[in-house]
Amino acid sequence: MAEAAGVSEARRRLAVDPRAIAGGVIVGALFFVALAAPLLAPHDPLAQDLLYTQLPPSWRPGGDPAFLFGTDSLGRDILSRLIYGARIAAFVAIVAASLACLAGSLLGLVAGYFRGAIDMIVSRLIDIWMSFPPVLLSIVLAAAVGAGLGSVVLAIVVIDWTRFARVVRAETQLQRQLDYVAAARVVGMRRGRTLFAEVLPNVLPLIVTLLTVEMGIAVIVEAILSFVGLSVSTDMPTWGGMIAEGRQAIYQVPWLLALPIGCIVVTVLGFNLLGDGLRATFDPVQRR
């Protein structure tokens, strides 16, 4: 009963938190657009028409109502490319962030709970990994593996697992000293079961909050790698690739640069707002 009451109270706080609501709406819209892209896109994002190159948005002089946000230098519909670009962003946000979360959280839990040599090895590995500039390391990794969505996911996982490992390790060490862990030892519960059955549920809210923030970071990293040509094929629409195209024609087609930047900013803001709302809901220090 107490657990159910706690869940209900958490849901109530989330339902009235403006940050959680705004972030949830933005993130939900991103995933909806990504899933429904074939239905929402008015044109084929890869279709070129050199008779309609660099059209301005429909509300500006010279615009065409058939191309709401205009066209790029190859006559491709910008709105359709933005919509399909959301698919890449959503995929990377879910897959790469989840894998980094899984790897980093597992190492952090084990190191923080068992301490000793395991903790020392994981801690030194975190220190070494975090000494490298993350953006530069992601570019080097993606270039070494080869361009493609798989290399983007791998680069994000290899770089950002440390973010989860460091925070989860510290929180696990705090939880390890609490009375419920000592009670589990007294009743004869094995250490592995205590870790995953008792400690993990208490660390899980923090992990979920970190995951939402990491999703926004993954979107930025994918955009950077797309910008330098290390993500998916250059024909496939990505927000970072559209920024690279818009940079080359910033004076002729400024909207091609501004629109994908706006999409990235709003998406990252949505993930951060959602993470702030979750932290305010589940973190007892934040609730005071």
Side-chain angles (χ1 to χ4, degrees):
M1 293 295 292
E3 183 178 352
V7 173
S8 299
E9 177 64 18
R11 289 176 179 174
R12 188 192 65 78
R13 287 195 298 267
L14 276 177
V16 298
D17 190 309
R19 294 169 297 181
I21 294 172
V25 169
I26 294 172
V27 172
L30 170 69
F31 291 134
F32 172 75
V33 170
L35 290 173
L39 301 175
L40 297 176
H43 301 278
D44 182 349
L46 303 180
Q48 303 178 14
D49 191 340
L50 299 181
L51 297 177
Y52 293 94
T53 59
Q54 298 185 354
L55 286 179
S58 59
W59 60 85
R60 297 190 59 182
D64 189 331
F67 302 98
L68 183 62
F69 287 167
T71 60
D72 61 13
S73 57
L74 294 177
R76 297 173 296 191
D77 180 50
I78 293 177
L79 175 59
S80 299
R81 292 180 66 78
L82 288 172
I83 291 174
Y84 272 84
R87 283 191 146 187
I88 303 297
F91 176 83
V92 170
I94 293 175
V95 176
S98 297
L99 291 176
C101 174
L102 180 63
S105 299
L106 182 60
L107 286 174
L109 283 166
V110 172
Y113 187 78
F114 291 101
R115 307 293 296 273
I118 297 177
D119 185 28
M120 184 183 67
I121 293 172
V122 172
S123 298
R124 296 294 77 77
L125 192 59
I126 292 173
D127 292 339
I128 294 171
W129 227 250
M130 295 188 70
S131 66
F132 295 100
V135 174
L136 179 60
L137 183 57
S138 65
I139 293 175
V140 171
L141 286 173
V145 176
L149 201 54
S151 64
V152 173
V153 171
L154 178 62
I156 294 173
V157 173
V158 169
I159 293 168
D160 284 346
W161 68 269
T162 55
R163 193 186 316 276
F164 292 91
R166 182 168 54 90
V167 177
V168 172
R169 170 184 170 272
E171 181 64 21
T172 303
Q173 288 179 339
L174 291 176
Q175 295 291 330
R176 186 176 182 269
Q177 300 172 8
L178 298 182
D179 291 340
Y180 74 91
V181 175
R185 293 173 183 165
V186 169
V187 299
M189 186 177 293
R190 293 182 178 179
R191 293 199 297 172
R193 184 180 176 188
T194 303
L195 174 60
F196 292 104
E198 301 292 336
V199 176
L200 177 59
N202 289 282
V203 181
L204 192 59
L206 174 63
I207 295 175
V208 172
T209 301
L210 287 174
L211 178 60
T212 57
V213 176
E214 175 60 28
M215 286 181 174
I217 295 173
V219 171
I220 294 177
V221 174
E222 192 283 324
I224 293 173
L225 295 177
S226 296
F227 182 83
V228 298
L230 293 175
S231 185
V232 297
S233 169
T234 54
D235 291 335
M236 292 296 295
T238 62
W239 293 341
M242 294 179 70
I243 293 173
E245 295 170 15
R247 181 179 62 88
Q248 299 173 0
I250 186 172
Y251 297 109
Q252 295 79 22
V253 201
W255 50 90
L256 180 56
L257 181 66
L259 289 171
I261 289 177
C263 289
I264 294 173
V265 170
V266 171
T267 298
V268 174
L269 178 63
F271 281 119
N272 288 342
L273 286 173
L274 182 58
D276 287 343
L278 291 173
R279 184 171 65 250
T281 299
F282 295 112
D283 189 345
V285 176
Q286 293 284 329
R287 294 202 302 268
R288 292 190 186 124

